[in-house]
Amino acid sequence: MIFFLTGGSRGIGANVVKELVAEGHDVAFTYATRKDLAEQIASEALAEHRGRRCQPYDLDLADPEGIERVVDQVIEDFDTVDAVVLNAAINRPGLLISMSDEDWLDVININLNGNFFVCRQFLPTFLAKGRGRFIHISSVAMNGIGGLSSYAASKAALVGLSATIGKEYGRKGITSNILSLGFFDTDMTRELMPERQIQFWMEFAPAGRLGDFAEVTQAILYLASDAAGFVNGETLNLTGGVTWAP
């Protein structure tokens, strides 16, 4: 299977890229600024799996024309794509009353508008194939979380976007689903959440722990598989049992 994943140079995305290659799949992934990190991820992914393909692409998700160019290049390089994983996201923390226009728009442009542009560009390929998978990475923050209004709003909006894609194109063999994540041990989690809040999560989450990266990959593989062909327009919560944010 050939995957296209946005935001694959760090955090959860970087681990998913390497694990997908380890599972025997080809991966095209994007990065925003750190070409060196992206190339390192691709090199590490291929080190023990040289029969596979893993290629990074520089992409600003706020640039519709850039998205068009990159998607066209990926299709040319890989011939096709079977599943699109929309993982890239940014955050600009701050209370609503003091949030600047620029910070709000930056988050919405990357986290929501970027997903729309990527999906729109891949739809002709999926329609021609008669099959395709869109997997949007959302967050438990979509239920609201203090100090992260733009991030929460962008992640909540993905639910409507994904469900609409599923309804419009389900009869064409295309599914679109949300994978909503709880807390994972990432740089963003450590940057945004104080230790006491992380401990609070682990205390009240039935799983009693943070999520493991491999669990994200396995959920993606399921949603991308034929076994999930009857799962469309849905939200899969990978939160350890907690579906609200503190």
Side-chain angles (χ1 to χ4, degrees):
M1 192 177 296
I2 301 173
F3 285 84
F4 175 86
L5 181 142
T6 62
S9 63
R10 57 179 294 188
I12 291 175
N15 282 272
V16 169
V17 167
K18 290 188 283 188
E19 289 169 0
L20 287 174
V21 173
E23 291 278 353
H25 304 285
D26 294 336
V27 182
F29 70 94
T30 72
Y31 64 94
T33 55
R34 295 291 302 274
K35 181 179 181 180
D36 56 331
L37 285 180
E39 291 179 341
Q40 180 181 341
I41 294 300
S43 177
E44 291 174 358
L46 294 172
E48 298 180 5
H49 306 279
R50 298 192 179 278
R52 301 263 55 91
R53 298 186 63 190
C54 186
Q55 177 67 40
Y57 296 82
D58 184 4
L59 179 62
D60 177 5
L61 284 169
D63 176 12
E65 292 183 356
I67 290 172
E68 182 177 346
R69 287 193 301 271
V70 167
V71 170
D72 287 350
Q73 187 63 55
V74 168
I75 297 299
E76 181 177 336
D77 293 344
F78 286 77
D79 294 328
T80 190
V81 165
D82 301 298
V84 172
V85 182
L86 298 134
N87 168 72
I90 63 170
N91 193 19
R92 299 287 186 268
L95 295 176
L96 188 67
I97 194 171
S98 58
M99 182 168 293
S100 69
D101 295 353
E102 181 180 7
D103 282 351
W104 173 270
L105 291 172
D106 281 348
V107 173
I108 298 301
N109 281 334
I110 297 295
N111 299 6
L112 176 60
N113 295 346
N115 279 28
F116 163 74
F117 294 134
V118 170
C119 291
R120 185 178 65 181
Q121 194 63 26
F122 271 109
L123 271 170
T125 297
F126 285 177
L127 288 169
K129 287 165 60 75
R131 186 193 187 280
R133 300 286 188 262
F134 290 113
I135 302 166
H136 307 257
I137 305 300
S138 186
S139 164
V140 68
M142 69 181 180
N143 297 311
I145 183 168
L148 302 176
S149 59
S150 57
Y151 184 79
S154 69
K155 292 301 186 179
L158 292 178
V159 177
L161 173 62
S162 176
T164 299
I165 293 171
K167 291 179 185 296
E168 289 185 351
Y169 300 102
R171 290 181 181 270
K172 303 296 184 179
I174 297 169
T175 68
S176 181
N177 292 289
I178 295 285
L179 183 56
S180 179
L181 305 183
F183 282 1
F184 288 74
D185 192 9
T186 65
D187 291 342
M188 182 179 288
T189 296
R190 296 296 178 184
E191 289 169 4
L192 298 178
M193 303 299 172
E195 185 63 29
R196 59 179 175 78
Q197 201 165 15
I198 294 174
Q199 292 301 320
F200 178 88
W201 177 276
M202 290 193 290
E203 178 181 353
F204 286 95
R209 62 177 175 85
L210 297 180
D212 184 85
F213 294 142
E215 293 168 325
V216 179
T217 304
Q218 291 305 310
I220 288 171
L221 285 170
Y222 168 67
L223 291 174
S225 72
D226 290 339
F230 202 52
V231 181
N232 202 2
E234 300 294 341
T235 297
L236 174 61
N237 292 309
L238 199 62
T239 63
V242 174
T243 55
W244 46 266

